[in-house]
Amino acid sequence: MRLRTHLGALRNALTKTRTAALIAVAAGVLAAGLPVLSAEAAAGNGTPADSNISFVGRWNKSNASAYVPYWAGAYLRVGFTGKTVKLRQRNTIQLWASIDGRAFTSFTGSGTINLTPTALAAGNHTLIVSYRQVAGSYTGDAVFQGLILDSGAGTFTPPARPKLVEFVGDSITAGATSSQLAVTDYGFKVGERLGYDHTQIAIGGMCLAETTDGCWAQATRYWMSSGGQAGTDQWDFSRYTADGVVINLGTNDKSHGVSAATFQATYTTFLTRIRAKFPNAKLFAMRTFIGRYAAETEAAVRARNAAGDANVFYVDTTGWLPSGGLSDSVHPNDAGHQAITDRLAPLVSAALTTTPSPTAAPTTPAPTTPAPTTPAPTTAAPTTPAGGACAVTYRKTGDWGTGAQFDVTLSNTSAVPVNGWTLTWSLPGSQRITQSWNSTVTQSGAAATAVNVSWNAVIPAAGSTSFGFVTDSPLDGATGFALNGSPCAAAT
């Protein structure tokens, strides 16, 4: 009886101590402006089955103690408390991790991999981990076996992301030749920029159509869990719902002898089957960056539009890649992927969000583009070429029914540089510009004005510069282009 009394007293003392400690921690968290975690959220232990961990993309979860990512760009995302976090890995693997939105860092190892060699400040943190894709000659062991956290720390569910976008393609969409592979690919970067979940259904060397010489084809392997050999298990499409599917296929089909007619028919069927899996998704069919099967890709989109599917869009990527944006004849380098991201992100955002009202502010920050090495002059006043010594190419590069993306190329056809530029024109109807990049765009009624940003203020003699914007309607017919008040001789 006396022992039981002592044990009861000890339990009460421990309970009071624990309660006091929790109150003190909560007070510190509130004082620091951090959210207080619920008891349920704080209970996460970092095992693969921890419900606070979000496994984005296609993962094999058949083994409760070891989850395996499929395809490229699959990742896990989780919140955790404490100052350190480590991964439990089975065998050697390369991976990339980002904590609290910082740049992704590469880690290679096995067993316990310390993601915080320098301890973090105490508090709540968010972790993203993406494993290198096991494909081709790379045979790393991409197996997640859990997190190791500080004593007393736990996981919590990170803030939800509002959309999920699939990026379907080949080695380009898998990030081949970029510095961090899938993580520095345009698909991963677009998703992160927009704050969406995202995944890349891509493997190097893939075609759209099956070929007699054995090119792996998305037309048959997209439907599989891993995209491996034909006949492997099929993916359960009920595990997530894509809000958008961005497709970039056709670069490899040409060298495997796929005819234009076969490519177009296969693409049309592919879009039709994806629509059956994701009835409400926006589907984007991109022109390949080197232009292969561009007409056939657009024709497949138009076929789906004619069949009554208004949520399939052709994305014209002409001119997206800058000079020096390829690491070889096909694959974008980091600068190329960044340029693609700058063009694609506002298009996807505009299509997947409600069309802004005429007075609404843009929902997505304008993309940023690295400044060229030549600094813009800061003291010279703007110069204007002789009347008619400019030309404007005005192209619609995306159309999703309730909005569109336009690219503008402003050419200086005079023999002297333009030092500081303002381009004015009139928009059709009641069209409004909702987002822009590579210039500062304003609008008053139908009158639109684009002013250079710091790094593209100078247009050399016989040179050009480009900018783009998104509108709330797909209307064509802009008129009256003038550079620094002087009408341009041609506008197309």
Side-chain angles (χ1 to χ4, degrees):
M1 177 69 72
R2 186 176 298 125
L3 177 60
R4 205 176 295 131
T5 301
H6 286 316
L7 288 174
L10 180 60
R11 269 196 305 269
N12 289 337
L14 288 173
T15 299
K16 291 178 181 178
T17 301
R18 191 181 301 117
T19 301
L22 288 172
I23 291 172
V25 170
V29 167
L30 289 171
L34 300 171
V36 178
L37 305 178
S38 68
E40 181 180 358
N45 58 11
T47 63
D50 183 346
S51 62
N52 289 326
I53 304 177
S54 176
F55 294 91
V56 183
R58 301 187 185 182
W59 286 75
N60 181 343
K61 298 182 179 181
S62 59
N63 183 341
S65 62
Y67 286 4
V68 179
Y70 287 147
W71 297 94
Y75 61 93
L76 65 90
R77 183 168 169 266
V78 64
F80 69 95
T81 61
K83 298 181 178 182
T84 68
V85 61
K86 303 176 180 69
L87 290 175
R88 287 192 177 96
Q89 296 302 137
R90 188 172 62 184
N91 297 309
T92 301
I93 184 65
Q94 183 179 14
L95 58 92
W96 291 272
S98 168
I99 298 176
D100 297 337
R102 301 185 187 117
F104 280 85
T105 301
S106 175
F107 296 87
T108 301
S110 61
T112 299
I113 298 180
N114 184 7
L115 304 181
T116 48
T118 300
L120 307 169
N124 298 343
H125 304 283
T126 301
L127 169 69
I128 299 176
V129 174
S130 180
Y131 291 94
R132 180 174 177 177
Q133 183 181 26
V134 179
S137 61
Y138 182 71
T139 57
D141 195 43
V143 179
F144 173 71
Q145 294 186 308
L147 304 174
I148 301 173
L149 302 172
D150 293 342
S151 176
T155 66
F156 62 92
T157 303
R161 289 181 161 182
K163 306 286 184 183
L164 186 149
V165 181
E166 278 190 344
F167 294 85
V168 181
D170 48 38
S171 58
I172 294 172
T173 305
T177 77
S178 70
S179 62
Q180 295 182 327
L181 303 179
V183 171
T184 38
D185 178 85
Y186 70 88
F188 204 104
K189 291 171 74 67
V190 166
E192 288 300 301
R193 171 179 287 184
L194 298 179
Y196 295 168
D197 277 332
H198 49 87
T199 190
Q200 291 135 272
I201 310 300
I203 293 177
M206 296 201 81
C207 295
L208 169 66
E210 290 286 351
T211 65
T212 56
D213 59 356
C215 184
W216 283 15
Q218 288 282 18
T220 53
R221 287 172 170 79
Y222 169 82
W223 320 103
M224 301 174 191
S225 295
S226 68
Q229 297 294 337
T232 56
D233 64 309
Q234 300 294 292
W235 175 246
D236 178 2
F237 281 85
S238 68
R239 286 178 55 177
Y240 66 73
T241 299
D243 298 283
V245 180
V246 180
I247 305 166
N248 178 13
L249 287 167
T251 300
N252 294 317
D253 293 72
K254 183 73 73 175
S255 58
H256 288 272
V258 177
S259 70
T262 297
F263 185 88
Q264 181 176 323
T266 304
Y267 213 133
T268 304
T269 301
F270 190 53
L271 292 170
T272 303
R273 293 186 66 193
I274 292 176
R275 167 61 68 226
K277 297 297 184 183
F278 302 126
N280 299 314
K282 304 293 179 65
L283 310 184
F284 306 86
M286 299 178 70
R287 169 191 174 274
T288 57
F289 299 119
I290 59 174
R292 290 179 177 173
Y293 301 106
E296 292 75 21
T297 300
E298 184 172 13
V301 170
R302 301 307 170 215
R304 290 300 304 145
N305 296 157
D309 191 343
N311 287 321
V312 183
F313 315 111
Y314 175 66
V315 181
D316 186 353
T317 63
T318 303
W320 280 23
L321 284 171
S323 175
L326 293 175
S327 59
D328 50 28
S329 61
V330 172
H331 297 95
N333 53 25
D334 285 9
H337 281 290
Q338 184 61 53
I340 296 165
T341 301
D342 291 343
R343 297 295 190 95
L344 185 58
L347 190 156
V348 171
S349 173
L352 296 189
T353 55
T354 303
T355 303
S357 63
T359 58
T363 57
T364 304
T368 58
T369 304
T373 55
T374 303
T378 56
T379 57
T383 58
T384 305
C390 59
V392 173
T393 300
Y394 185 86
R395 293 190 311 114
K396 185 195 295 184
T397 56
D399 182 335
W400 47 93
T402 58
Q405 176 171 322
F406 292 88
D407 286 349
V408 181
T409 299
L410 172 60
S411 298
N412 174 16
T413 58
S414 74
V416 296
V418 173
N419 185 354
W421 55 266
T422 297
L423 184 70
T424 56
W425 71 100
S426 295
L427 291 161
S430 59
Q431 188 176 68
R432 304 290 298 183
I433 294 172
T434 59
Q435 300 175 36
S436 64
W437 52 96
N438 297 346
S439 68
T440 300
V441 176
T442 57
Q443 181 177 354
S444 176
T449 302
V451 179
N452 64 269
V453 289
S454 61
W455 53 264
N456 65 0
V458 175
I459 308 177
S464 64
T465 190
S466 297
F467 65 94
F469 54 87
V470 170
T471 61
D472 64 357
S473 79
L475 292 174
D476 289 307
T479 59
F481 290 93
L483 171 62
N484 293 344
S486 179
C488 290
T492 58

